[in-house]
Amino acid sequence: MKKKLIHIALTFALMGPSLQVFSQEKPVRIDLSTIKTELRTSAISLGISYLKSLDSLFTLQDIHQAEKNTLFQVTPEFDVLTGTSDAFSSVSARLSGIYMLFGDTLIDGVLTPNTARGFQTFPFSAGFETNNKFNVLNGIVEAGWVPWYQTEGNRKTPGWLKHTKFGLFVQAGYKFGIDTTGITTIGGETDQSFEAPDHAILRTKGSFGIDTQSLFELSGVGVGISGNADGWYDFLNNRVYYSVQGKIRFYLTGDKNRFFDFKYQKGSGAPNFNEGDQFGMGLTLMF
Amino acid sequence: MKFHLKNFNDEGVVINDDTIHSTVLSDSDGYGSSNSKTIYRSVIRWTMKKNGHEDKPWPPDWFEKSVEYLSSCIL
């Protein structure tokens, strides 16, 4: 326990300067990981996923459209995954939104979407993805289909299936040749994609994930497993890329907002599509 | 609100006026904007609009607060 507290204290000390940059009063998700990479170099990986509601980012709260059995909402999103040495890295900033198709129902005389039954969601986003050296910059538009079959009201859906997620996406954009940094990247930072600078990007992406939540308790700490697999097909270069990540997760509190991971990842995903692997541990706190 | 929270409740959390949203919802249980936190907010706003209520701004801290707190702010 003492070692754990020290580790947490150390990670807070390390992330302090970075947090100042993204200091906001809105929900912030922090993923801080000590990672051992394929080059056997110790690294610190700091990921910040920042989601800010339209209410606070825009003067007017609304980019929300309500129609019969459909809705449309747009939200800005900013994600950072960076690290020291050769750890995987990426940065993305985008405007993302969702279009939903659903049935409706009356609850106590109030018309509302029937989330007790499955419904269809179509997330979309437009923005940029880069690495933390800013020597790769992709402008990307993405649209996809994510069926929402996990609803608890779907009694015919097997319980294990409700812990999974699935999505199909199409990504199109442009890879800008902006590398004037003169920085030689190594290990997980290396751009191994076949997408050439100053050329168009056209990919399809399939994603599958499983998160068992807390399967059992160990000395009062919930233990679960989490895994994600993403595959891309690069139409313009006839290439396949992939990223697979597995985690053993220890929930430090019952509200899922604080957990500790041991994780393994093979393949970095976009934009570098680095084929290396990395493994390590991380603490995630959500405020 | 409780109807929708029950349908996103995959961990057996007791759903009542005191339920804290973050114990049930998550922004990482889907892909991109397709997650229970965003969907919940979207469907509640849809419900408000379609039933002739004002679509009031949500408090910044709603996710960490209870159903009763959010109700008092937007109803």
Side-chain angles (χ1 to χ4, degrees), chain A residues 126-157:
Chain A
F128 294 93
E129 58 186 23
T130 181
N131 60 6
N132 65 335
K133 295 288 189 294
F134 292 95
N135 59 346
V136 174
L137 178 66
N138 296 340
I140 288 286
V141 175
E142 176 186 272
W145 166 57
V146 179
W148 197 274
Y149 50 83
Q150 302 92 336
T151 177
E152 291 301 303
N154 261 351
R155 300 191 188 283
K156 291 181 181 176
T157 304

PDB file of all heavy atoms in Angstrom, chain A residues 126-157:
ATOM      1  N   ALA A 126     -14.608  15.526 -37.130  1.00  0.00           N
ATOM      2  CA  ALA A 126     -13.758  16.200 -38.107  1.00  0.00           C
ATOM      3  C   ALA A 126     -12.680  16.931 -37.330  1.00  0.00           C
ATOM      4  O   ALA A 126     -12.971  17.628 -36.365  1.00  0.00           O
ATOM      5  CB  ALA A 126     -14.578  17.177 -38.945  1.00  0.00           C
ATOM      6  N   GLY A 127     -11.428  16.735 -37.714  1.00  0.00           N
ATOM      7  CA  GLY A 127     -10.368  17.406 -36.974  1.00  0.00           C
ATOM      8  C   GLY A 127      -8.995  16.975 -37.433  1.00  0.00           C
ATOM      9  O   GLY A 127      -8.804  16.579 -38.589  1.00  0.00           O
ATOM     10  N   PHE A 128      -8.050  17.045 -36.499  1.00  0.00           N
ATOM     11  CA  PHE A 128      -6.664  16.761 -36.832  1.00  0.00           C
ATOM     12  C   PHE A 128      -6.106  15.698 -35.899  1.00  0.00           C
ATOM     13  O   PHE A 128      -6.502  15.589 -34.750  1.00  0.00           O
ATOM     14  CB  PHE A 128      -5.807  18.027 -36.697  1.00  0.00           C
ATOM     15  CG  PHE A 128      -6.161  19.084 -37.690  1.00  0.00           C
ATOM     16  CD1 PHE A 128      -7.069  20.082 -37.370  1.00  0.00           C
ATOM     17  CD2 PHE A 128      -5.599  19.075 -38.955  1.00  0.00           C
ATOM     18  CE1 PHE A 128      -7.418  21.061 -38.281  1.00  0.00           C
ATOM     19  CE2 PHE A 128      -5.932  20.050 -39.885  1.00  0.00           C
ATOM     20  CZ  PHE A 128      -6.840  21.045 -39.546  1.00  0.00           C
ATOM     21  N   GLU A 129      -5.187  14.899 -36.410  1.00  0.00           N
ATOM     22  CA  GLU A 129      -4.447  13.972 -35.576  1.00  0.00           C
ATOM     23  C   GLU A 129      -2.967  14.162 -35.877  1.00  0.00           C
ATOM     24  O   GLU A 129      -2.568  14.355 -37.016  1.00  0.00           O
ATOM     25  CB  GLU A 129      -4.883  12.522 -35.831  1.00  0.00           C
ATOM     26  CG  GLU A 129      -4.736  12.067 -37.265  1.00  0.00           C
ATOM     27  CD  GLU A 129      -5.306  10.683 -37.526  1.00  0.00           C
ATOM     28  OE1 GLU A 129      -6.181  10.239 -36.744  1.00  0.00           O
ATOM     29  OE2 GLU A 129      -4.876  10.046 -38.497  1.00  0.00           O
ATOM     30  N   THR A 130      -2.153  14.172 -34.834  1.00  0.00           N
ATOM     31  CA  THR A 130      -0.717  14.360 -35.003  1.00  0.00           C
ATOM     32  C   THR A 130      -0.002  13.603 -33.896  1.00  0.00           C
ATOM     33  O   THR A 130      -0.643  12.994 -33.034  1.00  0.00           O
ATOM     34  CB  THR A 130      -0.348  15.861 -34.957  1.00  0.00           C
ATOM     35  OG1 THR A 130       1.061  16.003 -35.154  1.00  0.00           O
ATOM     36  CG2 THR A 130      -0.723  16.499 -33.632  1.00  0.00           C
ATOM     37  N   ASN A 131       1.322  13.573 -33.939  1.00  0.00           N
ATOM     38  CA  ASN A 131       2.056  12.989 -32.820  1.00  0.00           C
ATOM     39  C   ASN A 131       2.618  14.128 -31.974  1.00  0.00           C
ATOM     40  O   ASN A 131       2.481  15.299 -32.306  1.00  0.00           O
ATOM     41  CB  ASN A 131       3.154  12.042 -33.304  1.00  0.00           C
ATOM     42  CG  ASN A 131       4.177  12.748 -34.183  1.00  0.00           C
ATOM     43  OD1 ASN A 131       4.126  13.966 -34.341  1.00  0.00           O
ATOM     44  ND2 ASN A 131       5.083  11.995 -34.748  1.00  0.00           N
ATOM     45  N   ASN A 132       3.255  13.774 -30.868  1.00  0.00           N
ATOM     46  CA  ASN A 132       3.672  14.842 -29.956  1.00  0.00           C
ATOM     47  C   ASN A 132       4.909  15.584 -30.434  1.00  0.00           C
ATOM     48  O   ASN A 132       5.340  16.538 -29.801  1.00  0.00           O
ATOM     49  CB  ASN A 132       3.882  14.293 -28.541  1.00  0.00           C
ATOM     50  CG  ASN A 132       5.030  13.317 -28.467  1.00  0.00           C
ATOM     51  OD1 ASN A 132       5.380  12.694 -29.478  1.00  0.00           O
ATOM     52  ND2 ASN A 132       5.619  13.165 -27.304  1.00  0.00           N
ATOM     53  N   LYS A 133       5.505  15.169 -31.537  1.00  0.00           N
ATOM     54  CA  LYS A 133       6.606  15.925 -32.149  1.00  0.00           C
ATOM     55  C   LYS A 133       6.081  16.861 -33.238  1.00  0.00           C
ATOM     56  O   LYS A 133       6.821  17.649 -33.796  1.00  0.00           O
ATOM     57  CB  LYS A 133       7.632  14.961 -32.777  1.00  0.00           C
ATOM     58  CG  LYS A 133       8.359  14.085 -31.764  1.00  0.00           C
ATOM     59  CD  LYS A 133       9.350  14.892 -30.940  1.00  0.00           C
ATOM     60  CE  LYS A 133      10.237  13.994 -30.092  1.00  0.00           C
ATOM     61  NZ  LYS A 133       9.521  13.264 -29.045  1.00  0.00           N
ATOM     62  N   PHE A 134       4.804  16.733 -33.561  1.00  0.00           N
ATOM     63  CA  PHE A 134       4.153  17.549 -34.589  1.00  0.00           C
ATOM     64  C   PHE A 134       4.870  17.446 -35.935  1.00  0.00           C
ATOM     65  O   PHE A 134       4.868  18.375 -36.717  1.00  0.00           O
ATOM     66  CB  PHE A 134       4.048  19.012 -34.144  1.00  0.00           C
ATOM     67  CG  PHE A 134       3.097  19.195 -33.001  1.00  0.00           C
ATOM     68  CD1 PHE A 134       3.571  19.219 -31.698  1.00  0.00           C
ATOM     69  CD2 PHE A 134       1.729  19.297 -33.218  1.00  0.00           C
ATOM     70  CE1 PHE A 134       2.688  19.362 -30.636  1.00  0.00           C
ATOM     71  CE2 PHE A 134       0.840  19.424 -32.162  1.00  0.00           C
ATOM     72  CZ  PHE A 134       1.319  19.470 -30.860  1.00  0.00           C
ATOM     73  N   ASN A 135       5.486  16.301 -36.197  1.00  0.00           N
ATOM     74  CA  ASN A 135       6.086  16.111 -37.520  1.00  0.00           C
ATOM     75  C   ASN A 135       5.180  15.290 -38.434  1.00  0.00           C
ATOM     76  O   ASN A 135       5.536  14.970 -39.555  1.00  0.00           O
ATOM     77  CB  ASN A 135       7.477  15.480 -37.420  1.00  0.00           C
ATOM     78  CG  ASN A 135       7.448  14.140 -36.724  1.00  0.00           C
ATOM     79  OD1 ASN A 135       6.457  13.789 -36.098  1.00  0.00           O
ATOM     80  ND2 ASN A 135       8.522  13.388 -36.835  1.00  0.00           N
ATOM     81  N   VAL A 136       4.015  14.921 -37.911  1.00  0.00           N
ATOM     82  CA  VAL A 136       2.981  14.277 -38.719  1.00  0.00           C
ATOM     83  C   VAL A 136       1.686  15.021 -38.442  1.00  0.00           C
ATOM     84  O   VAL A 136       1.361  15.284 -37.292  1.00  0.00           O
ATOM     85  CB  VAL A 136       2.810  12.782 -38.333  1.00  0.00           C
ATOM     86  CG1 VAL A 136       1.636  12.178 -39.074  1.00  0.00           C
ATOM     87  CG2 VAL A 136       4.085  12.006 -38.597  1.00  0.00           C
ATOM     88  N   LEU A 137       0.967  15.394 -39.488  1.00  0.00           N
ATOM     89  CA  LEU A 137      -0.324  16.052 -39.274  1.00  0.00           C
ATOM     90  C   LEU A 137      -1.313  15.541 -40.316  1.00  0.00           C
ATOM     91  O   LEU A 137      -1.098  15.701 -41.513  1.00  0.00           O
ATOM     92  CB  LEU A 137      -0.186  17.574 -39.387  1.00  0.00           C
ATOM     93  CG  LEU A 137      -1.498  18.355 -39.235  1.00  0.00           C
ATOM     94  CD1 LEU A 137      -2.054  18.208 -37.822  1.00  0.00           C
ATOM     95  CD2 LEU A 137      -1.289  19.828 -39.568  1.00  0.00           C
ATOM     96  N   ASN A 138      -2.365  14.913 -39.816  1.00  0.00           N
ATOM     97  CA  ASN A 138      -3.421  14.428 -40.697  1.00  0.00           C
ATOM     98  C   ASN A 138      -4.695  15.204 -40.421  1.00  0.00           C
ATOM     99  O   ASN A 138      -5.108  15.348 -39.273  1.00  0.00           O
ATOM    100  CB  ASN A 138      -3.717  12.944 -40.443  1.00  0.00           C
ATOM    101  CG  ASN A 138      -2.537  12.036 -40.779  1.00  0.00           C
ATOM    102  OD1 ASN A 138      -1.642  12.422 -41.519  1.00  0.00           O
ATOM    103  ND2 ASN A 138      -2.554  10.838 -40.231  1.00  0.00           N
ATOM    104  N   GLY A 139      -5.311  15.710 -41.479  1.00  0.00           N
ATOM    105  CA  GLY A 139      -6.659  16.248 -41.357  1.00  0.00           C
ATOM    106  C   GLY A 139      -7.625  15.120 -41.672  1.00  0.00           C
ATOM    107  O   GLY A 139      -7.533  14.500 -42.733  1.00  0.00           O
ATOM    108  N   ILE A 140      -8.539  14.815 -40.760  1.00  0.00           N
ATOM    109  CA  ILE A 140      -9.349  13.600 -40.887  1.00  0.00           C
ATOM    110  C   ILE A 140     -10.826  13.909 -40.670  1.00  0.00           C
ATOM    111  O   ILE A 140     -11.193  14.639 -39.750  1.00  0.00           O
ATOM    112  CB  ILE A 140      -8.916  12.548 -39.833  1.00  0.00           C
ATOM    113  CG1 ILE A 140      -7.560  11.952 -40.190  1.00  0.00           C
ATOM    114  CG2 ILE A 140      -9.941  11.433 -39.706  1.00  0.00           C
ATOM    115  CD1 ILE A 140      -7.586  10.981 -41.351  1.00  0.00           C
ATOM    116  N   VAL A 141     -11.641  13.351 -41.527  1.00  0.00           N
ATOM    117  CA  VAL A 141     -13.091  13.330 -41.312  1.00  0.00           C
ATOM    118  C   VAL A 141     -13.482  11.875 -41.146  1.00  0.00           C
ATOM    119  O   VAL A 141     -13.051  11.017 -41.935  1.00  0.00           O
ATOM    120  CB  VAL A 141     -13.852  13.951 -42.505  1.00  0.00           C
ATOM    121  CG1 VAL A 141     -15.356  13.811 -42.301  1.00  0.00           C
ATOM    122  CG2 VAL A 141     -13.479  15.413 -42.670  1.00  0.00           C
ATOM    123  N   GLU A 142     -14.240  11.583 -40.105  1.00  0.00           N
ATOM    124  CA  GLU A 142     -14.602  10.195 -39.814  1.00  0.00           C
ATOM    125  C   GLU A 142     -16.093  10.090 -39.568  1.00  0.00           C
ATOM    126  O   GLU A 142     -16.679  10.943 -38.898  1.00  0.00           O
ATOM    127  CB  GLU A 142     -13.840   9.710 -38.576  1.00  0.00           C
ATOM    128  CG  GLU A 142     -14.215   8.311 -38.132  1.00  0.00           C
ATOM    129  CD  GLU A 142     -13.545   7.933 -36.803  1.00  0.00           C
ATOM    130  OE1 GLU A 142     -12.426   7.418 -36.840  1.00  0.00           O
ATOM    131  OE2 GLU A 142     -14.161   8.167 -35.742  1.00  0.00           O
ATOM    132  N   ALA A 143     -16.677   9.057 -40.113  1.00  0.00           N
ATOM    133  CA  ALA A 143     -18.086   8.770 -39.820  1.00  0.00           C
ATOM    134  C   ALA A 143     -18.224   7.272 -39.624  1.00  0.00           C
ATOM    135  O   ALA A 143     -17.510   6.482 -40.247  1.00  0.00           O
ATOM    136  CB  ALA A 143     -18.973   9.234 -40.961  1.00  0.00           C
ATOM    137  N   GLY A 144     -19.113   6.876 -38.733  1.00  0.00           N
ATOM    138  CA  GLY A 144     -19.217   5.452 -38.452  1.00  0.00           C
ATOM    139  C   GLY A 144     -20.580   5.027 -37.969  1.00  0.00           C
ATOM    140  O   GLY A 144     -21.510   5.843 -37.833  1.00  0.00           O
ATOM    141  N   TRP A 145     -20.670   3.743 -37.725  1.00  0.00           N
ATOM    142  CA  TRP A 145     -21.907   3.136 -37.214  1.00  0.00           C
ATOM    143  C   TRP A 145     -21.554   2.341 -35.974  1.00  0.00           C
ATOM    144  O   TRP A 145     -20.667   1.473 -36.012  1.00  0.00           O
ATOM    145  CB  TRP A 145     -22.508   2.222 -38.275  1.00  0.00           C
ATOM    146  CG  TRP A 145     -23.581   1.303 -37.751  1.00  0.00           C
ATOM    147  CD1 TRP A 145     -24.730   1.666 -37.115  1.00  0.00           C
ATOM    148  CD2 TRP A 145     -23.583  -0.136 -37.801  1.00  0.00           C
ATOM    149  NE1 TRP A 145     -25.468   0.539 -36.778  1.00  0.00           N
ATOM    150  CE2 TRP A 145     -24.788  -0.575 -37.189  1.00  0.00           C
ATOM    151  CE3 TRP A 145     -22.704  -1.084 -38.315  1.00  0.00           C
ATOM    152  CZ2 TRP A 145     -25.109  -1.922 -37.061  1.00  0.00           C
ATOM    153  CZ3 TRP A 145     -23.028  -2.428 -38.202  1.00  0.00           C
ATOM    154  CH2 TRP A 145     -24.223  -2.833 -37.577  1.00  0.00           C
ATOM    155  N   VAL A 146     -22.215   2.663 -34.881  1.00  0.00           N
ATOM    156  CA  VAL A 146     -22.012   1.937 -33.626  1.00  0.00           C
ATOM    157  C   VAL A 146     -23.381   1.507 -33.095  1.00  0.00           C
ATOM    158  O   VAL A 146     -24.132   2.342 -32.576  1.00  0.00           O
ATOM    159  CB  VAL A 146     -21.291   2.811 -32.570  1.00  0.00           C
ATOM    160  CG1 VAL A 146     -21.111   2.026 -31.272  1.00  0.00           C
ATOM    161  CG2 VAL A 146     -19.940   3.298 -33.090  1.00  0.00           C
ATOM    162  N   PRO A 147     -23.741   0.250 -33.275  1.00  0.00           N
ATOM    163  CA  PRO A 147     -25.034  -0.199 -32.751  1.00  0.00           C
ATOM    164  C   PRO A 147     -24.997  -0.261 -31.229  1.00  0.00           C
ATOM    165  O   PRO A 147     -23.996  -0.699 -30.647  1.00  0.00           O
ATOM    166  CB  PRO A 147     -25.185  -1.601 -33.362  1.00  0.00           C
ATOM    167  CG  PRO A 147     -23.783  -2.071 -33.594  1.00  0.00           C
ATOM    168  CD  PRO A 147     -22.973  -0.850 -33.912  1.00  0.00           C
ATOM    169  N   TRP A 148     -26.065   0.197 -30.569  1.00  0.00           N
ATOM    170  CA  TRP A 148     -26.091   0.185 -29.104  1.00  0.00           C
ATOM    171  C   TRP A 148     -27.024  -0.948 -28.669  1.00  0.00           C
ATOM    172  O   TRP A 148     -28.233  -0.764 -28.542  1.00  0.00           O
ATOM    173  CB  TRP A 148     -26.554   1.541 -28.552  1.00  0.00           C
ATOM    174  CG  TRP A 148     -26.192   1.671 -27.102  1.00  0.00           C
ATOM    175  CD1 TRP A 148     -26.925   1.224 -26.032  1.00  0.00           C
ATOM    176  CD2 TRP A 148     -24.996   2.229 -26.561  1.00  0.00           C
ATOM    177  NE1 TRP A 148     -26.243   1.469 -24.863  1.00  0.00           N
ATOM    178  CE2 TRP A 148     -25.060   2.092 -25.155  1.00  0.00           C
ATOM    179  CE3 TRP A 148     -23.864   2.822 -27.128  1.00  0.00           C
ATOM    180  CZ2 TRP A 148     -24.051   2.535 -24.304  1.00  0.00           C
ATOM    181  CZ3 TRP A 148     -22.866   3.261 -26.281  1.00  0.00           C
ATOM    182  CH2 TRP A 148     -22.956   3.127 -24.895  1.00  0.00           C
ATOM    183  N   TYR A 149     -26.425  -2.136 -28.493  1.00  0.00           N
ATOM    184  CA  TYR A 149     -27.196  -3.331 -28.124  1.00  0.00           C
ATOM    185  C   TYR A 149     -26.999  -3.666 -26.650  1.00  0.00           C
ATOM    186  O   TYR A 149     -27.542  -4.647 -26.154  1.00  0.00           O
ATOM    187  CB  TYR A 149     -26.740  -4.523 -28.978  1.00  0.00           C
ATOM    188  CG  TYR A 149     -25.240  -4.714 -29.006  1.00  0.00           C
ATOM    189  CD1 TYR A 149     -24.576  -5.392 -27.984  1.00  0.00           C
ATOM    190  CD2 TYR A 149     -24.477  -4.203 -30.052  1.00  0.00           C
ATOM    191  CE1 TYR A 149     -23.206  -5.557 -28.007  1.00  0.00           C
ATOM    192  CE2 TYR A 149     -23.114  -4.356 -30.084  1.00  0.00           C
ATOM    193  CZ  TYR A 149     -22.477  -5.032 -29.056  1.00  0.00           C
ATOM    194  OH  TYR A 149     -21.104  -5.187 -29.067  1.00  0.00           O
ATOM    195  N   GLN A 150     -26.218  -2.852 -25.931  1.00  0.00           N
ATOM    196  CA  GLN A 150     -25.845  -3.169 -24.549  1.00  0.00           C
ATOM    197  C   GLN A 150     -26.920  -2.799 -23.538  1.00  0.00           C
ATOM    198  O   GLN A 150     -26.759  -3.064 -22.354  1.00  0.00           O
ATOM    199  CB  GLN A 150     -24.539  -2.439 -24.185  1.00  0.00           C
ATOM    200  CG  GLN A 150     -23.370  -2.756 -25.080  1.00  0.00           C
ATOM    201  CD  GLN A 150     -23.241  -1.801 -26.244  1.00  0.00           C
ATOM    202  OE1 GLN A 150     -24.224  -1.176 -26.652  1.00  0.00           O
ATOM    203  NE2 GLN A 150     -22.056  -1.681 -26.796  1.00  0.00           N
ATOM    204  N   THR A 151     -27.993  -2.151 -23.977  1.00  0.00           N
ATOM    205  CA  THR A 151     -28.983  -1.669 -23.020  1.00  0.00           C
ATOM    206  C   THR A 151     -29.507  -2.792 -22.119  1.00  0.00           C
ATOM    207  O   THR A 151     -29.746  -3.911 -22.571  1.00  0.00           O
ATOM    208  CB  THR A 151     -30.157  -0.983 -23.756  1.00  0.00           C
ATOM    209  OG1 THR A 151     -31.124  -0.588 -22.798  1.00  0.00           O
ATOM    210  CG2 THR A 151     -30.800  -1.906 -24.772  1.00  0.00           C
ATOM    211  N   GLU A 152     -29.679  -2.475 -20.859  1.00  0.00           N
ATOM    212  CA  GLU A 152     -30.104  -3.472 -19.876  1.00  0.00           C
ATOM    213  C   GLU A 152     -31.513  -3.988 -20.164  1.00  0.00           C
ATOM    214  O   GLU A 152     -31.891  -5.064 -19.717  1.00  0.00           O
ATOM    215  CB  GLU A 152     -30.032  -2.885 -18.465  1.00  0.00           C
ATOM    216  CG  GLU A 152     -28.609  -2.633 -17.991  1.00  0.00           C
ATOM    217  CD  GLU A 152     -27.765  -3.895 -17.990  1.00  0.00           C
ATOM    218  OE1 GLU A 152     -28.163  -4.866 -17.327  1.00  0.00           O
ATOM    219  OE2 GLU A 152     -26.718  -3.915 -18.659  1.00  0.00           O
ATOM    220  N   GLY A 153     -32.294  -3.194 -20.902  1.00  0.00           N
ATOM    221  CA  GLY A 153     -33.645  -3.627 -21.235  1.00  0.00           C
ATOM    222  C   GLY A 153     -33.688  -4.747 -22.248  1.00  0.00           C
ATOM    223  O   GLY A 153     -34.708  -5.415 -22.406  1.00  0.00           O
ATOM    224  N   ASN A 154     -32.590  -4.962 -22.973  1.00  0.00           N
ATOM    225  CA  ASN A 154     -32.513  -6.039 -23.963  1.00  0.00           C
ATOM    226  C   ASN A 154     -32.280  -7.368 -23.249  1.00  0.00           C
ATOM    227  O   ASN A 154     -31.156  -7.850 -23.150  1.00  0.00           O
ATOM    228  CB  ASN A 154     -31.354  -5.769 -24.942  1.00  0.00           C
ATOM    229  CG  ASN A 154     -31.838  -5.153 -26.227  1.00  0.00           C
ATOM    230  OD1 ASN A 154     -33.034  -5.063 -26.475  1.00  0.00           O
ATOM    231  ND2 ASN A 154     -30.902  -4.713 -27.052  1.00  0.00           N
ATOM    232  N   ARG A 155     -33.342  -7.981 -22.759  1.00  0.00           N
ATOM    233  CA  ARG A 155     -33.181  -9.186 -21.938  1.00  0.00           C
ATOM    234  C   ARG A 155     -32.732 -10.386 -22.757  1.00  0.00           C
ATOM    235  O   ARG A 155     -32.206 -11.355 -22.211  1.00  0.00           O
ATOM    236  CB  ARG A 155     -34.483  -9.492 -21.208  1.00  0.00           C
ATOM    237  CG  ARG A 155     -34.913  -8.354 -20.293  1.00  0.00           C
ATOM    238  CD  ARG A 155     -36.037  -8.758 -19.369  1.00  0.00           C
ATOM    239  NE  ARG A 155     -36.556  -7.612 -18.630  1.00  0.00           N
ATOM    240  CZ  ARG A 155     -35.952  -7.061 -17.585  1.00  0.00           C
ATOM    241  NH1 ARG A 155     -34.804  -7.547 -17.162  1.00  0.00           N
ATOM    242  NH2 ARG A 155     -36.488  -6.016 -16.972  1.00  0.00           N
ATOM    243  N   LYS A 156     -32.959 -10.368 -24.075  1.00  0.00           N
ATOM    244  CA  LYS A 156     -32.543 -11.506 -24.912  1.00  0.00           C
ATOM    245  C   LYS A 156     -31.059 -11.451 -25.253  1.00  0.00           C
ATOM    246  O   LYS A 156     -30.492 -12.431 -25.737  1.00  0.00           O
ATOM    247  CB  LYS A 156     -33.373 -11.524 -26.198  1.00  0.00           C
ATOM    248  CG  LYS A 156     -34.837 -11.884 -25.960  1.00  0.00           C
ATOM    249  CD  LYS A 156     -35.616 -11.920 -27.268  1.00  0.00           C
ATOM    250  CE  LYS A 156     -37.078 -12.269 -26.996  1.00  0.00           C
ATOM    251  NZ  LYS A 156     -37.897 -12.228 -28.236  1.00  0.00           N
ATOM    252  N   THR A 157     -30.426 -10.307 -25.022  1.00  0.00           N
ATOM    253  CA  THR A 157     -29.000 -10.191 -25.319  1.00  0.00           C
ATOM    254  C   THR A 157     -28.189 -10.838 -24.194  1.00  0.00           C
ATOM    255  O   THR A 157     -28.407 -10.508 -23.028  1.00  0.00           O
ATOM    256  CB  THR A 157     -28.590  -8.708 -25.445  1.00  0.00           C
ATOM    257  OG1 THR A 157     -29.406  -8.096 -26.443  1.00  0.00           O
ATOM    258  CG2 THR A 157     -27.120  -8.574 -25.829  1.00  0.00           C
TER     259      THR A 157
END
